[in-house]
Amino acid sequence: MDLRKGDNISSIDTAAGKYLGKEVFKDKEFHKIFDTQQKLTVFIPVGEENKLRKLPSKSTVLKSLKIFEQYNLIDSQQTEGSRYKYFKAKMEKMTFKGILEIYHDLSYLRREKKITTTERKLRLRLKDKLISEISQILGRSDEQVESMLTLKRNEA
């Protein structure tokens, strides 16, 4: 991945942040990221770039948010074993679309009262992550973004 100073990025450990470049500590090189939500600097070892991803563009986010107009499961694949483990594995691929789909599906399952305690915790963690990322990309308040992450029931 080609990272440049000032890039908006996310990682498994941070919601949204700014890439500050590389830094060397005790003969080891790290990616330096300022987490804009928690207001702290995070260091990720060079070689572990799979834990990082650039935040999508504004147009990609707005297009992707249209999935909340669907009131059914996006990823209704049959999972072998735990649905939570399936969602967790999908989340680790670190794609914005994948994380948004997981959040959508967990929101749908929650509304239909078919969600486990661990899935509820995952949904809340994803919600915080998505609100932070999307508010940074779109320049909107957390409350505005939260309303965008709400399922729209088709009453047709």
Side-chain angles (χ1 to χ4, degrees):
M1 174 185 332
D2 182 33
L3 295 171
R4 295 195 171 115
K5 281 187 179 180
D7 281 348
N8 290 320
I9 63 169
S10 180
S11 77
I12 290 173
D13 302 319
T14 60
K18 289 269 186 205
Y19 184 70
L20 302 176
K22 293 180 182 176
E23 203 160 303
V24 177
F25 290 112
K26 297 186 180 184
D27 298 328
K28 286 200 164 213
E29 195 171 27
F30 294 87
H31 295 285
K32 186 176 179 181
I33 301 154
F34 181 73
D35 184 327
T36 54
Q37 183 179 29
Q38 296 187 18
K39 308 285 189 243
L40 56 90
T41 303
V42 178
F43 294 89
I44 296 181
V46 169
E48 294 185 21
E49 288 81 7
N50 60 330
K51 293 182 178 181
L52 300 172
R53 70 174 163 81
K54 289 186 181 181
L55 293 182
S57 67
K58 185 176 184 174
S59 61
T60 300
V61 169
L62 292 172
K63 181 180 164 189
S64 298
L65 286 171
K66 291 183 182 195
I67 90 170
F68 289 96
E69 295 171 7
Q70 296 181 23
Y71 193 77
N72 57 357
L73 292 174
I74 300 296
D75 196 359
S76 58
Q77 291 177 234
Q78 291 294 324
T79 59
E80 200 171 300
S82 165
R83 187 171 60 202
Y84 170 78
K85 286 181 183 176
Y86 171 76
F87 285 144
K88 194 108 164 91
K90 184 175 179 180
M91 191 178 92
E92 287 175 3
K93 292 180 183 171
M94 287 295 296
T95 67
F96 178 76
K97 184 180 178 194
I99 290 170
L100 201 59
E101 287 174 355
I102 294 166
Y103 180 77
H104 173 278
D105 286 357
L106 289 171
S107 296
Y108 173 80
L109 291 167
R110 179 177 164 258
R111 187 170 273 178
E112 297 299 313
K113 297 181 179 37
K114 297 177 181 172
I115 190 170
T116 67
T117 303
T118 53
E119 289 171 337
R120 190 175 304 115
K121 288 179 184 177
L122 177 60
R123 180 185 170 277
L124 290 173
R125 202 168 96 224
L126 291 177
K127 179 180 179 182
D128 290 343
K129 184 174 188 56
L130 286 168
I131 287 173
S132 175
E133 288 183 15
I134 295 170
S135 64
Q136 181 168 331
I137 295 164
L138 300 181
R140 299 199 181 158
S141 72
D142 290 355
E143 294 78 22
Q144 290 172 318
V145 172
E146 188 170 354
S147 72
M148 298 168 120
L149 296 173
T150 303
L151 290 172
K152 316 293 188 266
R153 186 172 217 140
N154 301 355
E155 300 290 342

